[in-house]
Amino acid sequence: MTDRTEPEKAVLLVDETLDDEDGEHCDELMNVADASDRAELFVTFPADATDRVGFGTVGMGRQPHKRGIVVVGEVVGVGADEPDYDDPIAEAHVASADDLRELGQSISRFCQEWRDRGHEIGVCFDGLGDLLDANEPEAVFQFFHVLTNRLETVGATTHVHVDPDRVPERTRLTFEQLFDETVHEEVELDALIPTNTGRASDDDVANAIGDDRGSSTHGSTGEASDDDIADALPD
């Protein structure tokens, strides 16, 4: 197995690029190891039911050993069958963005299966605004608190896209607490710009949520199972 080229971490990627532009920092964060050892998972929210997401539209030409897509929402031609994690390409479908439990479990299953096969994992989640459109901010905050801790335990490098024109700054700054770093993907920007380098504790999460639901989330001191994900995420 080759050495990782990106450390295990969770990054909030403030993405100012146009929809048809490929961001170099997204590419860097997914390129976590040599292709022979790398597994890449993309979580996508097609804007239209006929907007079919293909494997050729993600990855910026990279050829990893494994590539998966979790398609969220009603999309024509996407099946409901369980993915075959032994295939070089695999696809899962979550019917609605408000089904946070199923979304978390689907992402977790991909990463656990790939970890058991010895792969280094990169996860691209695009994006935060889609979940906030379909759910209360408190539920989305809890979702990412649980998910980022879970993905850390399987050694994944995870980044979540957020459109600053779509998500208010105050909301974005609240979510920054959940991530190890916040970086900016800007037009013709050649370097990462860290603006936050510490992830919130469980107490910070509880305070940010504003009620006692933070006490039910999974902390980063132990490895969460898929059952833990199901228990912690909202129905």
Side-chain angles (χ1 to χ4, degrees):
M1 180 177 292
T2 58
D3 293 333
R4 291 183 65 93
T5 55
E6 280 288 337
E8 299 91 339
K9 59 184 177 180
V11 176
L12 187 65
L13 184 58
V14 183
D15 190 353
E16 299 181 15
T17 60
L18 301 176
D19 290 342
D20 59 353
E21 290 182 325
D22 292 324
E24 62 178 285
H25 302 324
C26 176
D27 182 51
E28 291 170 2
L29 290 165
M30 292 298 282
N31 194 21
V32 298
D34 287 349
S36 59
D37 291 327
R38 191 171 69 245
E40 299 180 359
L41 180 64
F42 296 85
V43 183
T44 67
F45 298 78
D48 186 85
T50 60
D51 185 12
R52 186 73 169 89
V53 178
F55 286 91
T57 64
V58 296
M60 298 180 66
R62 296 185 308 274
Q63 297 295 326
H65 190 69
K66 301 283 187 182
R67 176 171 288 156
I69 297 180
V70 178
V71 180
V72 185
E74 295 298 333
V75 180
V76 175
V78 177
D81 296 338
E82 182 74 9
D84 186 342
Y85 301 104
D86 288 319
D87 283 350
I89 56 175
E91 184 177 62
H93 180 224
V94 177
S96 175
D98 63 12
D99 192 349
L100 296 178
R101 179 186 295 258
E102 179 57 31
L103 178 57
Q105 289 179 315
S106 182
I107 296 169
S108 180
R109 283 193 293 266
F110 260 106
C111 293
Q112 186 64 57
E113 292 285 344
W114 285 343
R115 183 203 189 193
D116 291 344
R117 290 161 173 77
H119 299 302
E120 302 290 354
I121 303 166
V123 179
C124 171
F125 193 107
D126 190 10
L128 175 59
D130 293 280
L131 283 194
L132 288 172
D133 286 346
N135 303 274
E136 292 296 325
E138 293 84 357
V140 179
F141 192 92
Q142 183 181 4
F143 169 82
F144 277 114
H145 175 56
V146 175
L147 185 66
T148 54
N149 283 327
R150 167 60 170 153
L151 296 184
E152 183 180 46
T153 67
V154 296
T157 298
T158 305
H159 70 275
V160 177
H161 290 255
V162 55
D163 182 349
D165 293 328
R166 185 174 180 183
V167 177
E169 182 179 17
R170 182 175 179 179
T171 302
R172 175 174 61 79
L173 291 174
T174 298
F175 275 85
E176 282 187 6
Q177 300 176 63
L178 299 176
F179 295 86
D180 298 305
E181 296 178 15
T182 299
V183 298
H184 290 253
E185 187 85 88
E186 297 177 307
V187 178
E188 298 182 353
L189 184 67
D190 295 327
L192 292 173
I193 306 176
T195 60
N196 177 52
T197 56
R199 193 185 299 186
S201 68
D202 286 345
D203 288 340
D204 294 329
V205 170
N207 291 332
I209 290 175
D211 59 26
D212 61 359
R213 276 173 288 182
S215 63
S216 67
T217 57
H218 171 68
S220 59
T221 57
E223 182 168 337
S225 67
D226 289 342
D227 289 338
D228 293 329
I229 294 285
D231 291 340
L233 295 178
D235 292 323

